[in-house]
Amino acid sequence: MNEPVLLTGAGGAVGEAILGGLEDDYEWKLMFHSPPVEEPDHDYVVGDVSDDEDVRAAVEGVGAIIHLAGDPRPDAPWNSVLANNIDGTQKMYEAAVDEGVERFVYASSNHAVGAYEDERKPDLYRTHDDFRLDGSEFPRPGNLYGVSKATGEIIGRYYHDEYGIDVCNVRIGNLTKGHPPIDYERGQAMWLSYRDCAHIHERALLADYDFEIVYGISDNDRKYYSIERAKEVLGYEPQDNSAHFDGEERVADPT
Amino acid sequence: MNEPVLLTGAGGAVGEAILGGLEDDYEWKLMFHSPPVEEPDHDYVVGDVSDDEDVRAAVEGVGAIIHLAGDPRPDAPWNSVLANNIDGTQKMYEAAVDEGVERFVYASSNHAVGAYEDERKPDLYRTHDDFRLDGSEFPRPGNLYGVSKATGEIIGRYYHDEYGIDVCNVRIGNLTKGHPPIDYERGQAMWLSYRDCAHIHERALLADYDFEIVYGISDNDRKYYSIERAKEVLGYEPQDNSAHFDGEERVADPT
């Protein structure tokens, strides 16, 4: 990749996981919502994704975008997800196509399909249950945050169809550092380790595709999201599995 | 239906078709964006769907909603569809569940899936082509207006799953009065006559369902939207077909 990759929401947990794994492998341009406490080792901007000028300044000169920025709270109020997640994502796409950016990786969320769980929980969080969502299903958000994330996917669909920009939506599971959530079956079912998070985003930067929706989780025994599409199209090869942390192994930390 | 039905966007073409067919059969409460030129025969309010107080005043006391209001222009700019179509629809749903409204009929649009046409046009507008969209497919908007309409469907999915309100999304085709569009194959393929428009909305008020996405078109020979789901779930029985207006018959007007 010759041009820098813009990473928005660089101050959040997903940004930390991505930079932790790929910091030295790409030229990064970071976008923060608040000024970073430590001076970054990379080019960066501070701005608001719902401010058009801030977005244009962020996108200037980049060749690809990993768009993580937005209100990340599952219980965020409508006005915030409308401005930060929906409007912010449209502004980012608009600036991207104007700048000639060729690839857009979008941090979608498990919450875009959270309501599928209602009829099957807690069974679907368990190893014996074979139910899978594969990314081709119609969104069923479990909250207004999930509505905003599903809307981001549809905005991406439009910009892909209309302007040809490659779009990969990663419906991110439950990202935690070091080990899976403890005593939280749902979180274990959709765990995403830091190194698998960095890896799937690297594959989304490099693989050959047009428009994709994939699940970003580790290869958990408990999973109810299929990772077949991510493996097939992106070449995703997860190394972690929340089951490896059961019982005695819980203290192990492969990252 | 014991309580009034709120019809938003009552001044538009879809509202005209619905009231033209069903005016005497229900107790209506109308919402207009601008004061109506003629004094309506029904209870009405004037207001803006992106104004929370206006929306609350409109929803007060109604038992069902047919939500047509929004910017109807396929080329409407983002800021307008964000405020009027996306934010306005969320506000309407929020007020509806607070008011205990049990049924919400949403005017979605063919533009929510417009990009499916790109690879097959003009063949799919023609009788010999068997391609069909059936409403289960992931949205592929053809413009930002279509993005806003697909988002309205997802907002409805959330409010249905979370609060149990019945939701029917009608992806309305090309509504014209009297006869189908002339020399416009796409419009003939997705023509919706005024009487079929009134009828499908009446069925959406009366039929038994949970959450539906159906196509609102007449039974056109040229159709590439399936009307099977509307027939099966709503009991939709369209009477018109744009083919009846070909050649000699073009001057006929069954409405």
Side-chain angles (χ1 to χ4, degrees), chain A residues 78 87 90 140 154 161, chain B residues 78 87 90 140 154 157 161:
Chain A
W78 173 250
D87 191 25
Q90 191 273 345
R140 287 185 63 180
I154 289 171
D161 281 329
Chain B
W78 173 250
D87 191 24
Q90 191 273 345
R140 286 184 64 179
I154 289 171
R157 181 80 239 191
D161 281 328

Side-chain angles (χ1 to χ4, degrees), chain A:
Chain A
M1 203 154 295
N2 298 321
E3 292 172 296
V5 179
L6 172 64
L7 183 74
T8 75
V14 180
E16 180 190 18
I18 292 171
L19 287 176
L22 309 177
E23 182 148 27
D24 300 332
D25 301 328
Y26 301 90
E27 188 182 344
W28 295 98
K29 182 174 183 180
L30 310 180
M31 183 179 192
F32 295 93
H33 186 249
S34 309
V37 179
E38 287 184 34
E39 185 69 13
D41 294 330
H42 309 276
D43 185 19
Y44 74 97
V45 296
V46 176
D48 194 320
V49 288
S50 63
D51 182 292
D52 195 49
E53 282 187 32
D54 288 355
V55 169
R56 300 270 161 185
V59 170
E60 191 181 354
V62 307
I65 296 173
I66 299 178
H67 180 48
L68 311 174
D71 189 328
R73 297 171 295 166
D75 63 347
W78 173 250
N79 284 348
S80 177
V81 299
L82 182 71
N84 294 301
N85 302 11
I86 295 176
D87 191 25
T89 296
Q90 191 273 345
K91 282 191 161 55
M92 196 63 63
Y93 269 108
E94 192 70 27
V97 298
D98 285 351
E99 183 72 17
V101 169
E102 293 179 354
R103 175 152 297 200
F104 198 109
V105 181
Y106 174 67
S108 185
S109 167
N110 65 84
H111 292 283
V113 290
Y116 280 101
E117 298 170 30
D118 292 345
E119 291 150 26
R120 298 184 71 92
K121 65 186 177 186
D123 277 350
L124 88 168
Y125 306 142
R126 295 175 183 171
T127 305
H128 64 82
D129 191 295
D130 291 334
F131 179 78
R132 294 283 183 280
L133 297 175
D134 67 6
S136 66
E137 56 280 330
F138 198 84
R140 287 185 63 180
N143 43 48
L144 292 169
Y145 167 77
V147 169
S148 75
K149 286 295 171 178
T151 300
E153 296 176 358
I154 289 171
I155 292 169
R157 181 80 237 191
Y158 165 69
Y159 280 93
H160 167 71
D161 281 329
E162 187 70 15
Y163 299 101
I165 187 171
D166 301 336
V167 173
C168 185
N169 303 281
V170 184
R171 290 181 176 166
I172 295 173
N174 194 318
L175 178 75
T176 59
K177 197 170 187 174
H179 61 77
I182 295 171
D183 297 332
Y184 176 43
E185 289 186 300
R186 181 176 185 271
Q188 290 161 4
M190 62 169 71
W191 184 48
L192 178 62
S193 72
Y194 265 45
R195 68 175 170 184
D196 285 342
C197 180
H199 170 59
I200 198 170
H201 283 89
E202 178 164 45
R203 294 311 312 159
L205 284 177
L206 300 178
D208 184 27
Y209 57 80
D210 294 313
F211 177 88
E212 292 294 332
I213 298 174
V214 298
Y215 286 100
I217 62 169
S218 292
D219 191 10
N220 309 309
D221 286 357
R222 287 178 178 273
K223 64 180 172 290
Y224 57 92
Y225 297 146
S226 171
I227 57 174
E228 291 308 308
R229 188 76 190 166
K231 285 180 171 179
E232 187 183 318
V233 175
L234 303 185
Y236 176 49
E237 295 177 355
Q239 296 182 67
D240 292 309
N241 178 344
S242 56
H244 295 165
F245 295 80
D246 282 351
E248 289 300 308
E249 295 180 78
R250 180 174 284 168
V251 294
D253 182 352
T255 60

Side-chain angles (χ1 to χ4, degrees), chain B residues 25 40 105 119 190 193 216 241 243:
Chain B
D25 301 329
V105 181
E119 291 150 23
M190 61 168 72
S193 72
N241 177 345

Side-chain angles (χ1 to χ4, degrees), chain B residues 29-44:
Chain B
K29 181 174 183 180
L30 309 180
M31 183 178 193
F32 295 91
H33 187 250
S34 309
V37 179
E38 288 183 33
E39 186 70 13
D41 293 331
H42 308 276
D43 185 19
Y44 73 97

